[in-house]
Amino acid sequence: MFKKIATGFLAVAATSALALSLPSAASASTASHPSYDDYSDYWGPDYAQYHLAKAQGYVSVSYDDDESNSAYVRGRLWDLDNRSYDEGGKCAYVKFQAEDFDNDWSTVYTKKYCGYPGYKKFSFSTDDVYSLRVKVCQVSPSGYYVNKCGPWDEIYSAE
């Protein structure tokens, strides 16, 4: 009888300790991803030509002052091409470009994923962004030949 009470007490203590540790673990994970609250929205899904690759995710932007901001993007990239590489199958590829406040575009992030039918998570941040756009393509397994791109999709604009 005493053994059952002791076991029950230990189970309650272990559960309580776990419950108390969860909020601190949650706050630790949000500390690695700062709180962006000036703008946030979901983007996508965006597709490559013939819908053989897909990407979608979330963008959030926080302003320090009028023309200084930080954008954080996270998402998933799907390889939807079920053909083997010998049959002409390709990998999924996503490209992000940012426009600065001088109206100059530059590539800020790219990701390749080969792994039908799965997906790969990604995230990145960039600073001083006026606009941010995404394009999904396919790429050869070697990564040298990007093609079959879908259209650009603007996922954030300061306007």
Side-chain angles (χ1 to χ4, degrees):
M1 176 74 163
F2 178 72
K3 190 174 182 178
K4 288 183 182 179
I5 293 172
T7 303
F9 178 72
L10 287 174
V12 170
T15 304
S16 299
L18 178 64
L20 291 174
S21 69
L22 288 177
S24 63
S27 65
S29 70
T30 56
S32 66
H33 297 93
S35 171
Y36 294 92
D37 56 6
D38 292 326
Y39 173 85
S40 61
D41 199 7
Y42 290 95
W43 57 270
D46 291 296
Y47 292 92
Q49 192 176 26
Y50 308 119
H51 288 244
L52 294 175
K54 175 177 104 169
Q56 69 183 54
Y58 184 78
V59 60
S60 55
V61 180
S62 177
Y63 277 85
D64 298 330
D65 55 41
D66 287 342
E67 288 191 7
S68 179
N69 64 18
S70 296
Y72 174 72
V73 177
R74 69 176 189 252
R76 292 179 180 180
L77 176 62
W78 281 267
D79 180 1
L80 304 176
D81 193 343
N82 64 357
R83 299 174 297 169
S84 71
Y85 303 131
D86 293 336
E87 295 172 331
K90 300 196 179 348
C91 303
Y93 180 84
V94 65
K95 179 177 186 174
F96 290 87
Q97 287 187 341
E99 180 183 24
D100 62 20
F101 288 92
D102 294 327
N103 298 331
D104 296 322
W105 288 96
S106 61
T107 299
V108 292
Y109 185 81
T110 62
K111 184 71 162 182
K112 175 181 93 166
Y113 176 65
C114 304
Y116 173 83
Y119 65 86
K120 179 86 168 180
K121 291 182 180 181
F122 62 86
S123 65
F124 70 94
S125 62
T126 186
D127 296 324
D128 301 326
V129 174
Y130 181 76
S131 288
L132 191 61
R133 64 187 181 182
V134 61
K135 181 191 292 194
V136 181
C137 304
Q138 285 192 285
V139 65
S140 65
S142 64
Y144 294 116
Y145 303 105
V146 176
N147 60 9
K148 295 186 172 57
C149 296
W152 283 108
D153 178 20
E154 184 176 79
I155 61 172
Y156 168 74
S157 178
E159 292 181 339

